[in-house]
Amino acid sequence: MELSGAEIVVQCLKDEGVEHVFGYPGGAVLHIYDALFQQDEVRHILVRHEQGAVHAADGYARSTGRPGVALVTSGPGATNAVTGIATAHLDSIPLVVLTGQVPTPFIGSDAFQEVDTVGITRPCVKHNFLIKDVRDIAETFRKAFYIATSGRPGPVVIDIPKDITDPNIKIPYEYPKKVRIRSYNPVTKGHLGQIKKAVDLMLAAKRPVFYTGGGVVLNDAGKQLTELVRELNFPITSTLMGLGAYPGSDRQFLGMLGMHGTYEANMAMHETDVLIAIGARFDDRVTGQVAQFCPNATIIHVDIDPSSISKNVRVDVPIVGPVKAVLKDMLKVLAERRKRPQEENIQKWWAQIDRWRGMQCLKYDQKSPQIKPQFAVETLHRVTNGDAFVTSDVGQHQMFAAQFYRFDKPRRWINSGGLGTMGFGLPAAIGVQMAHPDAEVAVITGEASIQMCIQELATCRQHDLPIKIMLLNNGYMGMVRQWQEFFYDGRYAHSYVDALPDFVKLAESYGHVGMKIERPEDLEGAVKEAFSLKDRLVFMDVVIDPTENVYPMIEAGKGHHEMYLPPESELV
Amino acid sequence: MRHVISILMENEAGALSRVAGLFSARGYNIEALTVAPTEDPSLSRMTLVTRGDEAIIEQITKQLNKLIDVVKLLDLTGGPHIEREMMLIKVKAERSHRDEIIRLTDIFRGKVLDVTETSFVIELTGKSAKLDAFIRAIHEDLVLEVVRTGPSGIGRGTKGLTL
């Protein structure tokens, strides 16, 4: 089969099983677009900004586990994509981002729409390639998809100069069946000796706790994790990225930990004697002050990436390997040991945890005449039976969503955890809805975040995506306002979002349904109505209490036992 | 502590900037760096000198290993090894100083490569500390130019860094 470079690009996508490409055309990728136009296996979704394309591909990847693909042009197309690429990089999301480049003879000449894409993206990709020969396209694609999806996943950028895709130069095409990269051999198993050591530590533990992260979701190891945690009857807490890997409504689940984690999760971390960290990376939002982190614990850490181990916190039993394989081995070793942790100790530990739970750290004012954001998220949970895909932006609403939408399944909670990218939620939901056309997809957002990628409402209209947007509108950049209240004596420097649009009219002008909800008693009916409109995007502008804060809160640099609790909790 | 890390990497455009970028992005310092292709033209070998405590060096080696272009690496400082650096040094050599500079060069087993009425260019190879000592031994007013390659390193005995 003789194909041009542009046709090879499209054929490679087909051979990788890619069904959706999120993109935006431009000069350098016109040959590729022309090849896309002449086939109908790979569907192209036109976004309104390249950042949206990469976030959409990212949402697609997070919700399916398959690599997301974005296609953008050179220069500004590539630079606009960078925020999306960095977002995926920090959360280890498998993406392949195709960027157009000026023709090879023009590279380095400051040509029109030229930037050094490989240079700009180098620090925020797992790897990147610049293709310099049409004969290298197929092998590069094969490698790119392999690198993006194996080991610790991540985004891979392929920069493709325009002359490489010249429709007049045809060469024989064959997609490589095998890929071998001598310098890249991700581990496939954990060290059995270390695993045995870890299991023995668990069996001897008096106050154990599982601390799990996004790695469990990425490796689809929720089932094995749940089995092990239940088998041992240990408490479990999760990072923001790990929510849903273990059922959020289960008795053994303590809620999220860290800066806005629950009292019981953070206290359990502070008091634990054996910490079992799985697919989590000891991020500063989780550990707080490292010197005070789990002061009494022997730490077991399972991670696919050796550089995550002992990076921020020294660990005692490191296990490098894919989470799922290691968990399977742990279950096997546990079965062989024919032992269980001492019942009495674990019961005592649970009694302590239940006392902490009694503090009701997530309590909020249920009688408020204003809509509380917590109530809004709980209402969404009720109406969707806790089964929707929920994307979010970044800020207070993100934390409320994480705390109050008790995710029972993995890959349902789609948010930018590492980079904290405002503007992520709506385009990510586009990718999620594309991948799951019949599922309920909700965006929980704020009036500041949503405006960072609001233009994607047009994409939703064009592709008839019935996404439900729940805007928790407090008229402030809520998290910024909260920090200014706590740490800057209420000097609200530029956190007030003045001159907001009328979101109902805005939604309507894009061809969607808009709703404004101002009273708590109207909320449930409105959310139900929104979800009953199966084929329409509904934009719910929910006016909430502007002064509500996210509790509990650990100030940056403080220990897990030093939390601010809500005024409503039993402690205060 | 000073560490000498030997790296085998793909001899590809951009590989060097991935290593250099990693160091600047993560706030590690590079004291010296040499790189050239090996007997296998698809591989480059780099010798990198850095400083840090045990935890930092552990992170540096892990992060380097994570780079797709890095095939293999070895912290030479962990075992017996040889380091050599070459220096070209141009010194003022007027009549009154010439004999002394030549004697000094002989003592350090250096070679005078270029002679003019007023200057010498001297080639010197050895451990970095030896080159430092040579520079110190020559009066600073006489030193015109110093060019150093940075050290290259190799493990002693059969232990080494090969594919």
Side-chain angles (χ1 to χ4, degrees), chain A residues 460-486:
Chain A
C460 298
R461 183 73 201 90
Q462 184 182 351
H463 298 279
D464 291 320
L465 300 173
I467 294 163
K468 307 296 183 268
I469 298 170
M470 176 179 263
L471 168 63
L472 301 178
N473 189 343
N474 57 7
Y476 281 101
M477 293 160 212
M479 192 59 89
V480 173
R481 193 204 58 77
Q482 176 169 342
W483 282 56
Q484 288 170 337
E485 179 188 327
F486 287 7

Side-chain angles (χ1 to χ4, degrees), chain B residues 62-116:
Chain B
K62 282 172 167 179
Q63 294 291 350
L64 282 169
N65 259 317
K66 209 162 118 177
L67 295 176
I68 306 287
D69 286 337
V70 169
V71 183
K72 229 175 174 183
L73 64 82
L74 180 66
D75 184 353
L76 289 175
T77 333
H81 68 282
I82 299 162
E83 278 175 49
R84 287 294 178 270
E85 179 174 358
M86 192 185 76
M87 170 167 73
L88 299 174
I89 179 167
K90 191 181 285 176
V91 294
K92 258 192 233 167
E94 275 156 14
R95 203 151 292 274
S96 54
H97 291 112
R98 292 174 92 98
D99 289 351
E100 189 197 333
I101 293 169
I102 288 169
R103 263 200 310 279
L104 205 59
T105 305
D106 285 342
I107 293 168
F108 278 83
R109 299 188 199 288
K111 262 193 285 185
V112 178
L113 298 184
D114 179 64
V115 179
T116 70

Side-chain angles (χ1 to χ4, degrees), chain A residues 122 126-128 147 152 182-184 305-307 309-311 314, chain B residues 10 17-18 40 42-43 58-59 62-63 66 68-71 163:
Chain A
R122 190 174 295 127
K126 185 169 174 187
H127 197 59
N128 57 19
I147 291 170
R152 179 179 183 171
R182 63 179 169 183
S183 56
Y184 176 71
D305 177 2
S307 73
I309 289 176
S310 291
K311 183 171 71 177
R314 285 309 289 181
Chain B
E10 297 293 348
S17 59
R18 285 182 213 279
D40 172 353
S42 74
L43 283 174
E58 182 183 327
Q59 264 302 307
K62 282 172 167 179
Q63 294 291 350
K66 209 162 118 177
I68 306 287
D69 286 337
V70 169
V71 183
L163 272 195

Side-chain angles (χ1 to χ4, degrees), chain A residues 315-387:
Chain A
V315 304
D316 303 289
V317 184
I319 301 171
V320 177
V323 166
K324 194 195 252 179
V326 172
L327 283 168
K328 278 184 180 169
D329 283 341
M330 283 181 168
L331 282 162
K332 221 189 287 169
V333 173
L334 184 66
E336 285 163 13
R337 287 285 189 267
R338 294 171 192 282
K339 263 187 14 194
R340 283 296 171 270
Q342 226 181 18
E343 181 69 18
E344 192 192 335
N345 290 331
I346 303 301
Q347 285 312 327
K348 248 203 307 208
W349 180 226
W350 272 114
Q352 172 64 64
I353 287 169
D354 287 339
R355 278 198 294 281
W356 289 328
R357 270 184 170 157
M359 303 297 183
Q360 305 195 43
C361 69
L362 294 179
K363 206 170 171 187
Y364 64 92
D365 180 7
Q366 307 255 4
K367 297 193 192 86
S368 167
Q370 292 176 294
I371 297 175
K372 291 285 184 179
Q374 300 94 325
F375 174 69
V377 176
E378 284 185 328
T379 304
L380 181 71
H381 184 268
R382 227 174 9 257
V383 172
T384 56
N385 297 315
D387 204 32

